[in-house]
Amino acid sequence: MSLNQSLQQKLLQKLSPQQIQLMKLLQVPTAILDDRIKEELEENPALELADEGFEGDETPDEFASNDSDDDYTEDSDSNDDPYENIDISDYVSEGDDDIADYKMRDENYGDQEEKTTLPYRVETSFYEQLEAQLGMLNLDERLYKIAEQIIGSIDEDGYLRRETSAIVDDLAFRQNVMTSDEEVEGLIKRIQNFDPPGVAARTLQECLILQLNRQKIDGKEVDIAIAALTRYFDEFTKKHYEKIQRGLNLSDEGLKDVMTQITKLNPKPGGNVGEINKAESYVVPDFFIYNNGGKLELTLNSKNAPELRISEGYRDMLKEYDRGQKKDRRQKEAVLFIKQKIDSAKWFIDAIKQRQHTLLSTMTAIMNHQQEFFMTGDETSLRPMILKDIAERTGLDISTVSRVANSKFVQTEFGTYRLKFFFSESLTTDSGEEVSTREVKKILSDLIEGESKKKPLSDERLTELLQEKGYNIARRTVAKYREQLNIPVARLRKEL
């Protein structure tokens, strides 16, 4: 038996707590930004809304009088006292009203009286439900972070399509949390017990079997249906029911019962969660784009630009401390607390400002790139656009653009769209022109919508029709786009 030693160098990027909070703020929908700000206002008395004032009863007791217990006098402090040298010069300079006036307002925001908005359903409530259930698992801080990463990787249909190894790498690189495939898999199994049934499945087959297993626990006879999906899933998707019937030795009535059980299952467990509470699942858009006499105008919803500022009363307390002669330990502790709260408030205001800048920068780049669509509303006018295009135009990271695209909405005169709607790859036509794959998908969808359901168009025929229109496309690409549009093959579209 021999022992081998090796030296490995691993590069990890550990994000600061401020950077992590900024990323979280960026993902917060406009509808719940108010709640996030209220939380910060409750936690930090040095932060206030512009129309609020400082209330005297918030003054720490240490500033009410210079009298204090002997145990806290300056004489009792040692030379290396951590409270001995507190620098507050930036907060009390003469003529420096920056702190009290450290508030936020900028151009490019909608008026306080917003134009009429069209509510748009968002799947945020789905993730909120998962996170609420996560709180019942009684996990330590480390495991909770891993479970949060898993939930964050679940897509809006309820599927976990990200590889386990990729989740492990994300945790190590982004949060400096070391874990293993086995540990992540164990937590995935626990999350798969959450509601709605079928959540966190990797495939449709697993999703349906998870739901049947839940019914089995409830006492329903679903063993045969589970066997059908486990052993004959390919036949089930192709509607080769006679093979399932023979393989499981079922009668006609038995086959019908099994198919009824399976077809009642939900193939997209995350897709209709918002229907549970419509009031919470509708949000106002983050942006508004209007055509003003042939010129596009972009505004950011004013709810994203709250009037926040640093409490003037807290700055006055620092000035009072600076003017005082007798500075005992208790007062030093209090002034350090105040300084930390002011710093925290300044950071939060800066983070909200950065959020606004990032949103506007990203949406402006998208609007300029897709100008023809915003002028006409014609989906076929959408240009090819990938995350990298917008990242290069804005100077933002691709991951930042992705967060904005996946969580934000824009209202236009043609409807309300999630920003990720505008992203698509390119395809070359016979003439050499690059067109958006979304344009091709729209034409493909229109062709299928107009087909005879008694004789649906095959993928080969659809390919021919698209090629006749000048789109240089292969049959396998047509099949891929059809699947992305959730349109079944011709045989399954046939109606009697």
Side-chain angles (χ1 to χ4, degrees):
M1 179 178 176
S2 62
L3 297 176
N4 294 323
Q5 286 185 323
S6 64
L7 183 63
Q8 289 184 325
Q9 189 175 35
K10 199 168 187 179
L11 179 62
L12 294 177
Q13 177 182 344
K14 187 173 181 181
L15 300 180
S16 68
Q18 287 84 357
Q19 288 173 311
I20 293 172
Q21 287 299 318
L22 180 56
M23 287 192 297
K24 289 183 177 180
L25 269 179
L26 196 59
Q27 291 177 267
V28 172
T30 300
I32 60 175
L33 182 62
D34 279 349
D35 293 336
R36 175 67 185 88
I37 291 172
K38 286 175 184 175
E39 288 177 12
E40 197 70 22
L41 288 169
E42 290 172 0
E43 292 176 5
N44 190 349
L47 181 70
E48 65 182 21
L49 293 171
D51 56 355
E52 290 180 347
F54 175 74
E55 297 181 9
D57 58 2
E58 292 180 358
T59 305
D61 292 338
E62 288 75 6
F63 285 87
S65 169
N66 280 334
D67 296 331
S68 61
D69 297 334
D70 291 340
D71 292 340
Y72 287 94
T73 61
E74 188 171 7
D75 293 338
S76 65
D77 295 337
S78 62
N79 291 333
D80 58 353
D81 190 333
Y83 300 100
E84 184 65 29
N85 298 307
I86 303 175
D87 183 9
I88 59 172
S89 57
D90 290 341
Y91 303 81
V92 296
S93 301
E94 287 300 322
D96 179 13
D97 293 326
D98 286 347
I99 294 181
D101 293 335
Y102 198 87
K103 50 189 178 182
M104 47 200 309
R105 195 64 184 166
D106 204 346
E107 302 300 327
N108 298 315
Y109 304 110
D111 299 331
Q112 288 299 319
E113 295 296 325
E114 292 290 355
K115 301 178 177 75
T116 303
T117 60
L118 302 176
Y120 192 97
R121 190 165 70 85
V122 64
E123 295 81 5
T124 307
S125 59
F126 168 56
Y127 295 98
E128 288 175 345
Q129 286 190 29
L130 294 180
E131 288 182 352
Q133 294 172 81
L134 184 59
M136 295 185 286
L137 288 186
N138 194 26
L139 304 173
D140 60 33
E141 183 179 355
R142 178 178 163 278
L143 288 176
Y144 192 90
K145 286 183 178 179
I146 298 172
E148 269 191 320
Q149 186 74 24
I150 294 170
I151 287 177
S153 300
I154 295 173
D155 66 23
E156 58 196 27
D157 288 334
Y159 286 84
L160 181 61
R161 293 190 169 96
R162 191 155 175 76
E163 294 290 338
T164 302
S165 58
I167 295 175
V168 171
D169 291 342
D170 284 347
L171 283 160
F173 185 71
R174 296 290 183 186
Q175 299 191 46
N176 202 27
V177 174
M178 301 303 157
T179 183
S180 64
D181 288 11
E182 293 74 21
E183 189 171 45
V184 171
E185 282 292 331
L187 284 170
I188 290 172
K189 294 296 182 187
R190 298 178 71 177
I191 292 171
Q192 286 178 340
N193 291 320
F194 287 3
D195 287 326
V199 72
R202 270 63 71 91
T203 64
L204 174 61
Q205 182 182 25
E206 185 181 25
C207 176
L208 299 178
I209 291 175
L210 283 170
Q211 294 177 56
L212 288 172
N213 280 328
R214 191 81 65 91
Q215 293 182 14
K216 188 175 181 180
I217 294 172
D218 292 340
K220 296 182 181 179
E221 294 297 329
V222 293
D223 288 343
I224 298 177
I226 292 174
L229 290 176
T230 303
R231 295 160 53 187
Y232 300 102
F233 183 73
D234 191 47
E235 287 78 4
F236 168 74
T237 59
K238 295 177 179 177
K239 294 190 176 181
H240 292 161
Y241 298 141
E242 68 284 351
K243 292 184 181 180
I244 300 174
Q245 187 174 9
R246 286 198 307 269
L248 296 176
N249 195 24
L250 298 173
S251 65
D252 290 346
E253 192 63 30
L255 178 66
K256 183 179 178 181
D257 287 344
V258 168
M259 291 304 108
T260 299
Q261 285 180 331
I262 294 175
T263 53
K264 284 183 178 179
L265 302 175
N266 185 0
K268 295 183 179 181
N272 62 354
V273 171
E275 298 296 332
I276 297 172
N277 190 339
K278 292 185 178 181
E280 291 184 358
S281 61
Y282 281 84
V283 295
V284 293
D286 303 88
F287 310 95
F288 304 94
I289 292 181
Y290 294 99
N291 183 345
N292 186 2
K295 182 180 179 181
L296 293 176
E297 292 184 353
L298 167 67
T299 57
L300 180 64
N301 193 320
S302 66
K303 294 179 184 294
N304 289 287
E307 287 276 14
L308 297 174
R309 70 177 184 187
I310 306 297
S311 167
E312 188 172 354
Y314 266 65
R315 184 188 181 218
D316 288 343
M317 284 192 289
L318 291 185
K319 285 186 174 182
E320 182 179 339
Y321 170 85
D322 190 53
R323 288 192 297 264
Q325 297 299 318
K326 184 181 179 183
K327 297 181 175 66
D328 59 43
R329 181 184 176 91
R330 181 171 293 176
Q331 281 188 319
K332 291 176 181 178
E333 290 174 347
V335 82
L336 184 61
F337 169 82
I338 292 171
K339 180 178 179 291
Q340 290 170 343
K341 288 299 182 182
I342 290 177
D343 287 340
S344 178
K346 287 178 66 176
W347 174 84
F348 185 75
I349 291 176
D350 279 337
I352 294 288
K353 285 181 179 178
Q354 183 62 41
R355 178 183 187 274
Q356 296 166 3
H357 173 77
T358 301
L359 293 182
L360 273 173
S361 178
T362 303
M363 189 66 243
T364 299
I366 293 173
M367 181 182 72
N368 291 337
H369 194 90
Q370 303 291 5
Q371 183 170 6
E372 187 174 351
F373 171 82
F374 289 113
M375 297 289 286
T376 64
D378 182 4
E379 285 188 32
T380 62
S381 68
L382 284 168
R383 297 173 55 198
M385 184 178 79
I386 59 176
L387 294 172
K388 184 180 178 183
D389 294 331
I390 301 304
E392 289 176 349
R393 285 190 175 208
T394 59
L396 299 169
D397 290 337
I398 289 179
S399 60
T400 301
V401 175
S402 177
R403 285 187 177 88
V404 176
N406 284 317
S407 62
K408 300 294 176 283
F409 298 83
V410 58
Q411 180 179 314
T412 74
E413 55 190 298
F414 312 108
T416 301
Y417 302 87
R418 194 193 286 270
L419 265 58
K420 72 176 182 181
F421 168 82
F422 303 106
F423 290 85
S424 65
E425 301 286 344
S426 64
L427 187 85
T428 305
T429 65
D430 287 343
S431 62
E433 178 188 4
E434 282 197 343
V435 297
S436 167
T437 54
R438 186 171 291 280
E439 174 183 333
V440 181
K441 289 180 184 179
K442 178 68 169 64
I443 296 172
L444 177 63
S445 179
D446 290 344
L447 287 172
I448 293 174
E449 187 177 340
E451 72 185 0
S452 167
K453 296 307 175 186
K454 291 185 178 181
K455 193 176 180 180
L457 299 169
S458 66
D459 287 349
E460 287 81 4
R461 182 56 183 152
L462 288 167
T463 303
E464 292 172 0
L465 292 172
L466 284 166
Q467 288 177 347
E468 288 173 8
K469 292 178 179 291
Y471 297 101
N472 186 18
I473 191 168
R475 189 203 63 79
R476 64 178 178 276
T477 307
V478 169
K480 182 179 75 172
Y481 290 172
R482 175 180 51 71
E483 290 170 0
Q484 289 174 350
L485 291 167
N486 294 318
I487 297 174
V489 296
R491 179 168 53 82
L492 300 183
R493 300 200 305 272
K494 189 174 182 178
E495 298 176 2
L496 299 176

